[in-house]
Amino acid sequence: MIKYSNKLVLLLVGASLAATASFASEGELQKVMKARGLSEIDVVRAAKTYNPSGVKDEYVVFSSGGQSGQVIVYGVPSMRILKYIGVFTPEPWQGYGFDEESKKVLRQGNIRGKEINWGDTHHPALSEKDGKYDGKWLAINDKANPRIAIIDLADFETKQIVVNPVFKSSHGGAFFTQNSDFILEACQYAAPFDNNYHPIEDYKETYRGGVTMWRFDPKKGRVQEKESFTIEMPPYMQDLSDSGKAASDGWGFTNSVNSEMYTGGIEVGMPPNEAGMSRNDTDFLHIYNWKKLAELAKDPKNVKMINNHKVIPMDIAVKNNALFLVPEPKSPHGVDVSPDGEYITVCGKLDTHASVYKWSKIKKLIDNKEFEGKDPYGVPILDMKKSLHGQAELGLGPLHSQYSPVDGEIYTSLYVDSQVVKWNYKTLKILDKQNVHYNIGHLCGMESETMDPQGRYIIALNKLSIDRFQNVGPLHPQNHQLIDISGKKMDLLVDMPLPLGEPHNAVAIRVEKLNGHVRYTMGTNSRTDTVHEGKTLAGQERVERNGNKVKVYATMVRSHINPERITVNKGDEVTMYLTNLERAQDEAHGFTVDHYNIHASLEPGKTSSVKFIADMEGVFPYYCTEFCSALHLEMMGYLMVKDPNKKYVSAQKTKMQTMTPAQLKAEYDKTVATNAATDAVIQSVVKFLKENKYEKHKVVADLVTDAMDQYGKIPEQKKLANAAAKAGNMENAILFENMIWQYMVKTADVGIRAKDALVRLIATKQSASAAAGEKAFGEGGCGGCHVIGKVSSGPDLTGVLERHGKDGTKWVKDFIMKPETMYNDPYTKAMIDYFNLRMPNQHMSEQETKNIIEYLKWVDENANLF
Ligand code: CUK
Ligand code: CUA
């Protein structure tokens, strides 16, 4: 057995001793069901959404965060929240808005010089290749302050915010075209494109709506503002949109809600907006050929520059047969294009019907120039009846639709009825209805907005949760409900409270398509993905002063910040560049200087900077804000701000008792001995790894690199320790030796993880029964006393089948199933005395016991590895 130093044993074995799992025996399930009042169907639903510890989800959902201005990430089917991404609103955990790099992104969203620190996010969209999600980028709109943001799915960080130069609000976006060449963003409330005052009486003449076509570079993942353009449209208040696909690729579709062009005026005795804006029986679906318009926009003759942005005037679009209208039932909301691009479903909140338009019919009317007339702005209007495939009566308040992979199958939300309706958009037949709680907005199917919808689940994004959750005050969380759509009937599985703004839409992607990384190349500015000017490696830490500008180049690594003392003058402008030197997965550090309203999150390899004017005199601790290691609390330092105009008198020194030279020497010797013992453990692990060719396995090799990184720091500390000892400075010698021990523990921690991973990779293959046995062993709590390969609170089980003679297997079986009958056997008695513990009856079934024996056989086969 390997000899561990005491401290190390405590650290490394502590976790396994504490893990005494409970176990399930027959009747246990019934007992739990009874105690919790669960029916059989409840348990089935629970089983459909339950992820055992460590098991991951099949889909990842990106939900808009409504008024929080953020994006919420969660898993399906577990509905577990994974992340909030800071987008339009500062988010301190990620340092978003509190470090310099992210501030630059947030400030791209300033409008006319004004800082805006929130957003109203509505529609997230995932980038596509050939009409399918590629897992690279996420775009989302801000309705309140017309902007669009781009999030990089390599690190789930916001990289760009673009302000719409002509809209004053924007709603119908973001929607990617099928190869992510463009992102559609329709305006909402019509307003003048310029920034001047125009009286409301001039609404029809000077207020405009439109759709902005943001040019997107799918390789760089950035909107190219100069190559983007806006299609001018009548002031009808454009609403939701969708981009065409397959058959209708190259075209865009946008609803509108105020073709009346009503402008209200309650305060002067006019009927309110809501009455005037819903007077007509129909509004207009806008149909435009964005591909053609993109070509036209390249010629300056076809565009008008407004606020430095290209706008294609309506008459140019009309003249080039690129803009049309078709009536749709009044005050519509959602428009959704089918996976083959042939059907366009429009739902009107005030109409009980869904209207299904057929692209081939529309296209024919356009090609034949068969129009029923023109609107006041000269835009050709297509005949509604001739464009429609048909209408289906769904219920009250239909809003949004999602497609499934089943031919003709579509799901639509009914806001007023609080229902999801499943119907067929080809036969126009209703198939099923499901109650939801309450007042549903969007629906989110799995990749349902692509040419490759996955089916299986749909999520109801409900606006009101009313009585579904524990009361947390008058402001309630939203309620996202997961619905199983794999059967003939929908089945509501589970509720998830969502407490961060009012999400409008969400998009879901298969997890296999996501490729998030776990560390940055050393010294990366994550917001630009370039090498940071402040990148600092170990040994390069320094403070530079230039007049009253102070630059600190600092590093962070478990468990210290270098430098640990910084003194500046009151009034200095201080910039601190921080580099996290870690390479280990999930070893993030956070950084703040108390009282200075700054914070940075430093994931492995990242460099960020914080900047502040040291305008308060005093002593300010700075520290790491992530509990990153056992010595996390010690990961700190002091910023001292001196007033250069003051004279400081140093305090009288208190006399402290000090250790005698003999005591110091004894402590030093003890520390050195502990380090030698710890190093022996490390060497044994290293020997094992080398003998078993760890370098052939990437996962293990990465861990070993991490471990050796830590180990490599020891010689330098050793030199310092020896020098201090030689100079007779035993205090410092002890401290440097302690530092060596810190690095050793870090090395051992990762090294042992590498060893465990390697054992898994090189051991003989487990039979199904042995695997089940290992699971039973773990879940039955056996590991609480028995550690394979080691004597723990119970004997080592390697070789247990052999040590009881040729009937060893039977002996083990009996001992597992009815240990109490054997407590008086001489061998067992001796063991009980030795360990001061009796083997408990864990009520394993015969099958579980058999499996455990198979597992123990597998252990013996691989005994050399434990
Ligand atoms: S909208 Cu809110 S429920 Cu902005 Cu897509 Cu329909
Ligand atoms: Cu680094 Cu705590």
Side-chain angles (χ1 to χ4, degrees):
M1 188 189 135
I2 299 163
K3 258 230 164 303
Y4 286 88
S5 89
N6 284 342
K7 284 193 212 165
L8 194 58
V9 168
L10 220 69
L11 261 163
L12 302 176
V13 189
S16 85
L17 280 179
T20 319
S22 66
F23 56 91
S25 69
E26 273 131 276
E28 186 74 9
L29 180 61
Q30 268 66 33
K31 251 194 260 162
V32 172
M33 284 168 67
K34 200 161 161 229
R36 300 202 64 212
L38 301 175
S39 67
E40 199 165 308
I41 183 71
D42 290 333
V43 174
V44 171
R45 286 170 180 152
K48 282 184 179 177
T49 58
Y50 175 68
N51 279 1
S53 178
V55 173
K56 292 168 196 153
D57 278 305
E58 297 167 59
Y59 297 94
V60 165
V61 174
F62 296 90
S63 171
S64 66
Q67 310 90 325
S68 72
Q70 316 291 47
V71 163
I72 302 154
V73 188
Y74 62 84
V76 162
S78 77
M79 305 297 273
R80 296 180 303 193
I81 292 179
L82 298 167
K83 199 167 215 172
Y84 297 124
I85 304 174
V87 185
F88 294 111
T89 307
E91 199 298 298
W93 170 47
Q94 293 151 73
Y96 192 64
F98 298 91
D99 69 29
E100 290 304 302
E101 295 66 29
S102 62
K103 271 192 216 161
K104 277 193 189 133
V105 177
L106 258 177
R107 297 287 71 91
Q108 290 170 12
N110 289 8
I111 299 183
R112 297 166 70 184
K114 198 171 188 61
E115 251 190 40
I116 296 177
N117 283 314
W118 84 290
D120 186 10
T121 56
H122 278 234
H123 302 112
L126 287 158
S127 56
E128 298 179 15
K129 177 105 187 41
D130 301 324
K132 296 173 186 169
Y133 289 155
D134 61 6
K136 296 226 155 72
W137 313 101
L138 183 81
I140 192 156
N141 76 312
D142 172 7
K143 167 166 164 162
N145 321 289
R147 298 179 295 179
I148 208 147
I150 305 294
I151 295 151
D152 187 342
L153 297 181
D155 59 1
F156 289 61
E157 281 197 351
T158 303
K159 300 291 167 93
Q160 186 186 26
I161 295 178
V162 183
V163 177
N164 193 305
V166 292
F167 292 168
K168 306 301 178 267
S169 65
S170 78
H171 183 244
F175 297 97
F176 275 101
T177 57
Q178 68 178 26
N179 278 308
S180 303
D181 305 321
F182 283 96
I183 301 169
L184 269 77
E185 182 198 15
C187 113
Q188 178 103 80
Y189 306 121
F193 278 1
D194 63 30
N195 291 338
N196 303 332
Y197 164 74
H198 294 269
I200 193 80
E201 289 72 25
D202 296 349
Y203 183 86
K204 290 174 186 162
E205 291 75 24
T206 58
Y207 288 47
R208 287 293 174 264
V211 170
T212 298
M213 298 298 302
W214 291 113
R215 180 86 173 103
F216 187 72
D217 179 340
K219 279 226 170 66
K220 292 202 189 101
R222 297 292 186 273
V223 166
Q224 321 235 274
E225 298 181 61
K226 290 270 154 286
E227 292 170 50
S228 306
F229 63 96
T230 294
I231 310 161
E232 182 197 28
M233 290 176 185
Y236 296 158
M237 298 204 177
Q238 284 71 23
D239 192 41
L240 272 200
S241 310
D242 202 358
S243 71
K245 41 175 114 64
S248 52
D249 179 34
W251 292 77
F253 305 92
T254 296
N255 282 333
S256 58
V257 294
N258 183 22
S259 58
E260 294 86 350
M261 295 190 277
Y262 189 68
T263 54
I266 297 187
E267 63 296 324
V268 293
M270 295 287 288
N273 275 331
E274 58 177 313
M277 291 180 179
S278 57
R279 177 178 177 180
N280 296 352
D281 282 340
T282 55
D283 282 296
F284 287 121
L285 173 66
H286 299 57
I287 301 169
Y288 42 95
N289 187 337
W290 62 258
K291 225 173 222 173
K292 189 186 255 181
L293 292 163
E295 280 309 310
L296 290 171
K298 289 179 184 161
D299 185 343
K301 278 206 308 281
N302 296 324
V303 299
K304 218 166 123 183
M305 295 303 286
I306 304 177
N307 296 337
N308 226 346
H309 170 81
K310 290 179 193 168
V311 175
I312 303 190
M314 270 185 275
D315 56 327
I316 299 279
V318 169
K319 205 168 72 199
N320 287 282
N321 297 313
L323 178 62
F324 306 91
L325 300 169
V326 62
E328 53 185 358
K330 69 158 85 179
S331 297
H333 192 41
V335 48
D336 295 280
V337 178
S338 65
D340 61 0
E342 180 59 20
Y343 295 86
I344 300 139
T345 304
V346 171
C347 290
K349 340 185 257 298
L350 298 183
D351 189 272
T352 53
H353 293 92
S355 305
V356 184
Y357 293 85
K358 196 156 191 211
W359 174 245
S360 48
K361 289 186 168 185
I362 291 173
K363 189 73 191 352
K364 207 163 122 202
L365 294 174
I366 289 174
D367 290 346
N368 296 341
K369 297 208 159 69
E370 195 186 328
F371 310 128
E372 71 166 23
K374 285 187 174 178
D375 83 337
Y377 297 91
V379 184
I381 303 171
L382 311 182
D383 183 83
M384 180 168 169
K385 275 219 179 82
K386 288 183 186 162
S387 310
L388 275 175
H389 164 66
Q391 289 183 310
E393 177 145 5
L394 302 181
L396 296 178
L399 293 189
H400 298 286
S401 301
Q402 290 279 277
Y403 294 89
S404 95
V406 179
D407 186 41
E409 198 173 282
I410 186 169
Y411 293 80
T412 299
S413 56
L414 303 177
Y415 178 80
V416 179
D417 277 342
S418 290
Q419 284 185 323
V420 175
V421 50
K422 167 177 165 182
W423 55 290
N424 187 305
Y425 59 89
K426 291 186 175 168
T427 64
L428 306 169
K429 285 213 175 79
I430 308 289
L431 303 171
D432 186 26
K433 283 192 179 182
Q434 167 74 55
N435 290 336
V436 293
H437 314 86
Y438 303 90
N439 299 84
I440 177 174
H442 274 269
L443 278 164
C444 169
M446 305 299 111
E447 303 195 0
S448 289
E449 305 192 340
T450 71
M451 282 159 67
D452 186 26
Q454 296 297 299
R456 304 200 51 203
Y457 305 105
I458 206 155
I459 302 162
L461 278 65
N462 304 306
K463 303 286 174 197
L464 309 184
S465 62
I466 309 183
D467 55 359
R468 307 308 281 188
F469 306 114
Q470 176 59 40
N471 184 342
V472 287
L475 181 62
H476 290 44
Q478 296 274 303
N479 186 14
H480 285 199
Q481 293 181 305
L482 183 70
I483 300 169
D484 181 350
I485 57 165
S486 59
K488 225 176 140 97
K489 308 233 11 121
M490 287 178 269
D491 187 32
L492 182 80
L493 297 177
V494 73
D495 290 12
M496 175 183 65
L498 227 163
L500 193 80
E502 186 215 309
H504 287 258
N505 196 13
V507 287
I509 183 171
R510 274 173 275 180
V511 291
E512 304 85 58
K513 290 188 173 179
L514 290 171
N515 264 312
H517 57 226
V518 299
R519 62 176 74 81
Y520 293 101
T521 307
M522 194 53 70
T524 299
N525 175 342
S526 68
R527 301 289 167 177
T528 56
D529 296 306
T530 53
V531 180
H532 200 293
E533 51 169 334
K535 170 180 173 181
T536 310
L537 299 180
Q540 299 175 342
E541 299 89 350
R542 65 200 182 276
V543 178
E544 287 174 1
R545 172 179 285 279
N546 184 356
N548 64 350
K549 288 192 170 38
V550 178
K551 290 188 172 182
V552 181
Y553 293 82
T555 60
M556 299 182 83
V557 75
R558 276 160 291 169
S559 310
H560 53 259
I561 302 168
N562 188 347
E564 294 185 333
R565 294 174 210 165
I566 301 163
T567 308
V568 301
N569 290 326
K570 189 175 166 188
D572 281 350
E573 177 197 285
V574 182
T575 308
M576 291 190 72
Y577 298 104
L578 303 145
T579 300
N580 179 351
L581 298 176
E582 311 273 358
R583 295 161 42 81
Q585 183 163 352
D586 203 17
E587 271 304 336
H589 302 286
F591 181 83
T592 186
V593 179
D594 296 359
H595 300 193
Y596 275 102
N597 196 36
I598 50 152
H599 186 245
S601 168
L602 296 132
E603 299 87 63
K606 197 194 239 185
T607 299
S608 295
S609 60
V610 293
K611 193 171 173 178
F612 55 93
I613 306 289
D615 48 10
M616 290 176 283
E617 178 193 340
V619 174
F620 305 92
Y622 53 82
Y623 69 96
C624 167
T625 60
E626 280 263 352
F627 205 108
C628 52
S629 57
L631 289 163
H632 151 77
L633 292 176
E634 289 77 357
M635 192 162 178
M636 59 84 64
Y638 286 107
L639 171 78
M640 332 271 224
V641 184
K642 284 202 320 208
D643 186 337
N645 300 318
K646 273 195 192 166
K647 266 224 156 18
Y648 297 94
V649 197
S650 67
Q652 197 134 58
K653 298 275 185 292
T654 322
K655 274 253 175 291
M656 294 280 205
Q657 219 181 350
T658 48
M659 288 170 88
T660 65
Q663 284 170 324
L664 280 170
K665 175 77 172 60
E667 187 182 341
Y668 172 76
D669 290 343
K670 198 178 123 216
T671 314
V672 171
T674 305
N675 285 352
T678 312
D679 196 42
V681 175
I682 293 172
Q683 292 315 323
S684 76
V685 174
V686 168
K687 183 162 166 266
F688 176 90
L689 289 167
K690 280 192 181 152
E691 280 172 3
N692 292 289
K693 311 239 181 303
Y694 75 90
E695 66 282 355
K696 284 195 190 154
H697 310 275
K698 168 113 177 54
V699 195
V700 184
D702 278 354
L703 285 169
V704 173
T705 314
D706 285 343
M708 293 328 277
D709 256 15
Q710 299 292 336
Y711 198 72
K713 298 187 173 117
I714 292 173
E716 198 192 321
Q717 299 294 319
K718 189 74 196 168
K719 245 193 250 158
L720 294 168
N722 290 347
K726 210 168 148 199
N729 185 345
M730 295 317 275
E731 291 273 1
N732 276 359
I734 291 167
L735 295 183
F736 284 124
E737 284 292 339
N738 270 336
M739 196 57 233
I740 293 173
W741 190 75
Q742 296 301 339
Y743 283 125
M744 284 180 167
V745 171
K746 291 168 200 167
T747 308
D749 181 23
V750 188
I752 286 170
R753 248 190 293 155
K755 183 185 166 199
D756 289 347
L758 184 59
V759 166
R760 288 282 135 193
L761 289 164
I762 60 179
T764 55
K765 206 173 140 29
Q766 277 183 340
S767 65
S769 168
E774 180 169 13
K775 202 159 166 242
F777 186 90
E779 288 175 356
C782 310
C785 291
H786 301 281
V787 177
I788 301 292
K790 288 189 200 73
V791 179
S792 174
S793 333
D796 179 9
L797 296 183
T798 354
V800 69
L801 298 170
E802 247 99 89
R803 53 178 181 259
H804 295 286
K806 66 178 187 339
D807 279 342
T809 307
K810 183 175 176 309
W811 189 94
V812 171
K813 183 181 159 205
D814 291 346
F815 196 53
I816 294 174
M817 296 194 66
K818 36 185 183 193
E820 55 287 344
T821 64
M822 294 155 79
Y823 288 159
N824 287 325
D825 295 357
Y827 174 82
T828 324
K829 228 171 164 312
M831 287 305 217
I832 291 172
D833 280 352
Y834 181 81
F835 287 102
N836 203 14
L837 271 174
R838 293 193 299 199
M839 165 85 167
N841 188 334
Q842 300 290 72
H843 303 282
M844 292 285 177
S845 68
E846 176 121 25
Q847 188 55 49
E848 283 168 330
T849 308
K850 255 198 195 147
N851 291 342
I852 289 177
I853 289 171
E854 284 309 306
Y855 167 59
L856 292 171
K857 281 186 193 159
W858 174 84
V859 165
D860 283 349
E861 263 169 45
N862 296 286
N864 60 320
L865 299 179
F866 293 104

